[in-house]
PDB file of all heavy atoms in Angstrom:
ATOM      1  N   ASP K  61      -2.156  -2.855  -7.518  1.00 96.00           N
ATOM      2  CA  ASP K  61      -1.103  -3.782  -7.959  1.00 96.00           C
ATOM      3  C   ASP K  61       0.101  -3.691  -7.019  1.00 96.00           C
ATOM      4  O   ASP K  61       1.121  -3.071  -7.320  1.00 96.00           O
ATOM      5  CB  ASP K  61      -0.688  -3.456  -9.394  1.00 96.00           C
ATOM      6  CG  ASP K  61       0.201  -4.527  -9.995  1.00 96.00           C
ATOM      7  OD1 ASP K  61       0.608  -5.445  -9.252  1.00 96.00           O
ATOM      8  OD2 ASP K  61       0.497  -4.445 -11.212  1.00 96.00           O
ATOM      9  N   ASN K  62      -0.033  -4.333  -5.861  1.00 96.00           N
ATOM     10  CA  ASN K  62       0.994  -4.257  -4.828  1.00 96.00           C
ATOM     11  C   ASN K  62       2.268  -5.006  -5.198  1.00 96.00           C
ATOM     12  O   ASN K  62       3.366  -4.609  -4.786  1.00 96.00           O
ATOM     13  CB  ASN K  62       0.431  -4.797  -3.514  1.00 96.00           C
ATOM     14  CG  ASN K  62      -0.578  -3.850  -2.908  1.00 96.00           C
ATOM     15  OD1 ASN K  62      -0.237  -2.781  -2.438  1.00 96.00           O
ATOM     16  ND2 ASN K  62      -1.849  -4.237  -2.927  1.00 96.00           N
ATOM     17  N   ILE K  63       2.143  -6.062  -5.961  1.00 97.00           N
ATOM     18  CA  ILE K  63       3.342  -6.803  -6.387  1.00 97.00           C
ATOM     19  C   ILE K  63       4.232  -5.911  -7.247  1.00 97.00           C
ATOM     20  O   ILE K  63       5.443  -5.807  -7.026  1.00 97.00           O
ATOM     21  CB  ILE K  63       2.948  -8.086  -7.136  1.00 97.00           C
ATOM     22  CG1 ILE K  63       2.320  -9.097  -6.166  1.00 97.00           C
ATOM     23  CG2 ILE K  63       4.162  -8.693  -7.832  1.00 97.00           C
ATOM     24  CD1 ILE K  63       1.859 -10.393  -6.822  1.00 97.00           C
ATOM     25  N   ASN K  64       3.627  -5.237  -8.210  1.00 98.00           N
ATOM     26  CA  ASN K  64       4.414  -4.361  -9.080  1.00 98.00           C
ATOM     27  C   ASN K  64       4.890  -3.127  -8.325  1.00 98.00           C
ATOM     28  O   ASN K  64       5.968  -2.587  -8.613  1.00 98.00           O
ATOM     29  CB  ASN K  64       3.583  -3.937 -10.292  1.00 98.00           C
ATOM     30  CG  ASN K  64       4.425  -3.267 -11.359  1.00 98.00           C
ATOM     31  OD1 ASN K  64       5.454  -3.795 -11.788  1.00 98.00           O
ATOM     32  ND2 ASN K  64       4.000  -2.085 -11.788  1.00 98.00           N
ATOM     33  N   GLY K  65       4.101  -2.666  -7.347  1.00 98.00           N
ATOM     34  CA  GLY K  65       4.525  -1.530  -6.544  1.00 98.00           C
ATOM     35  C   GLY K  65       5.823  -1.813  -5.816  1.00 98.00           C
ATOM     36  O   GLY K  65       6.756  -0.987  -5.818  1.00 98.00           O
ATOM     37  N   MET K  66       5.925  -2.994  -5.197  1.00 98.00           N
ATOM     38  CA  MET K  66       7.159  -3.362  -4.507  1.00 98.00           C
ATOM     39  C   MET K  66       8.301  -3.558  -5.494  1.00 98.00           C
ATOM     40  O   MET K  66       9.450  -3.213  -5.203  1.00 98.00           O
ATOM     41  CB  MET K  66       6.941  -4.627  -3.683  1.00 98.00           C
ATOM     42  CG  MET K  66       6.014  -4.448  -2.487  1.00 98.00           C
ATOM     43  SD  MET K  66       6.528  -3.124  -1.361  1.00 98.00           S
ATOM     44  CE  MET K  66       8.146  -3.692  -0.851  1.00 98.00           C
ATOM     45  N   ARG K  67       7.992  -4.091  -6.658  1.00 98.00           N
ATOM     46  CA  ARG K  67       9.041  -4.268  -7.677  1.00 98.00           C
ATOM     47  C   ARG K  67       9.635  -2.921  -8.053  1.00 98.00           C
ATOM     48  O   ARG K  67      10.864  -2.789  -8.193  1.00 98.00           O
ATOM     49  CB  ARG K  67       8.465  -4.954  -8.919  1.00 98.00           C
ATOM     50  CG  ARG K  67       9.509  -5.166 -10.031  1.00 98.00           C
ATOM     51  CD  ARG K  67       8.867  -5.539 -11.349  1.00 98.00           C
ATOM     52  NE  ARG K  67       7.994  -4.495 -11.858  1.00 98.00           N
ATOM     53  CZ  ARG K  67       8.420  -3.373 -12.447  1.00 98.00           C
ATOM     54  NH1 ARG K  67       9.720  -3.141 -12.585  1.00 98.00           N
ATOM     55  NH2 ARG K  67       7.559  -2.483 -12.890  1.00 98.00           N
ATOM     56  N   MET K  68       8.793  -1.903  -8.221  1.00 98.00           N
ATOM     57  CA  MET K  68       9.286  -0.584  -8.596  1.00 98.00           C
ATOM     58  C   MET K  68      10.191   0.010  -7.518  1.00 98.00           C
ATOM     59  O   MET K  68      11.205   0.653  -7.827  1.00 98.00           O
ATOM     60  CB  MET K  68       8.116   0.357  -8.891  1.00 98.00           C
ATOM     61  CG  MET K  68       7.428   0.064 -10.218  1.00 98.00           C
ATOM     62  SD  MET K  68       6.225   1.337 -10.704  1.00 98.00           S
ATOM     63  CE  MET K  68       4.872   0.963  -9.580  1.00 98.00           C
ATOM     64  N   LEU K  69       9.844  -0.207  -6.245  1.00 98.00           N
ATOM     65  CA  LEU K  69      10.696   0.306  -5.167  1.00 98.00           C
ATOM     66  C   LEU K  69      12.053  -0.392  -5.160  1.00 98.00           C
ATOM     67  O   LEU K  69      13.103   0.261  -5.026  1.00 98.00           O
ATOM     68  CB  LEU K  69      10.004   0.113  -3.816  1.00 98.00           C
ATOM     69  CG  LEU K  69       8.865   1.070  -3.483  1.00 98.00           C
ATOM     70  CD1 LEU K  69       8.280   0.730  -2.124  1.00 98.00           C
ATOM     71  CD2 LEU K  69       9.329   2.526  -3.506  1.00 98.00           C
ATOM     72  N   VAL K  70      12.038  -1.711  -5.297  1.00 98.00           N
ATOM     73  CA  VAL K  70      13.303  -2.454  -5.307  1.00 98.00           C
ATOM     74  C   VAL K  70      14.122  -2.078  -6.535  1.00 98.00           C
ATOM     75  O   VAL K  70      15.344  -1.873  -6.443  1.00 98.00           O
ATOM     76  CB  VAL K  70      13.041  -3.975  -5.257  1.00 98.00           C
ATOM     77  CG1 VAL K  70      14.354  -4.750  -5.459  1.00 98.00           C
ATOM     78  CG2 VAL K  70      12.396  -4.371  -3.930  1.00 98.00           C
ATOM     79  N   ASP K  71      13.474  -1.976  -7.679  1.00 98.00           N
ATOM     80  CA  ASP K  71      14.181  -1.584  -8.905  1.00 98.00           C
ATOM     81  C   ASP K  71      14.887  -0.241  -8.719  1.00 98.00           C
ATOM     82  O   ASP K  71      16.036  -0.063  -9.130  1.00 98.00           O
ATOM     83  CB  ASP K  71      13.206  -1.483 -10.078  1.00 98.00           C
ATOM     84  CG  ASP K  71      12.775  -2.832 -10.613  1.00 98.00           C
ATOM     85  OD1 ASP K  71      13.322  -3.861 -10.158  1.00 98.00           O
ATOM     86  OD2 ASP K  71      11.869  -2.864 -11.475  1.00 98.00           O
ATOM     87  N   ARG K  72      14.182   0.707  -8.110  1.00 98.00           N
ATOM     88  CA  ARG K  72      14.772   2.032  -7.914  1.00 98.00           C
ATOM     89  C   ARG K  72      15.963   1.980  -6.967  1.00 98.00           C
ATOM     90  O   ARG K  72      16.995   2.624  -7.207  1.00 98.00           O
ATOM     91  CB  ARG K  72      13.712   3.006  -7.374  1.00 98.00           C
ATOM     92  CG  ARG K  72      14.217   4.426  -7.191  1.00 98.00           C
ATOM     93  CD  ARG K  72      14.753   4.987  -8.488  1.00 98.00           C
ATOM     94  NE  ARG K  72      15.299   6.335  -8.336  1.00 98.00           N
ATOM     95  CZ  ARG K  72      16.358   6.777  -8.993  1.00 98.00           C
ATOM     96  NH1 ARG K  72      17.010   5.986  -9.840  1.00 98.00           N
ATOM     97  NH2 ARG K  72      16.791   8.010  -8.822  1.00 98.00           N
TER      98      ARG K  72
END
Side-chain angles (χ1 to χ4, degrees):
D61 191 353
N62 288 290
I63 290 178
N64 192 52
M66 292 305 300
R67 180 193 62 77
M68 286 190 285
L69 284 179
V70 172
D71 285 354
R72 182 58 182 144

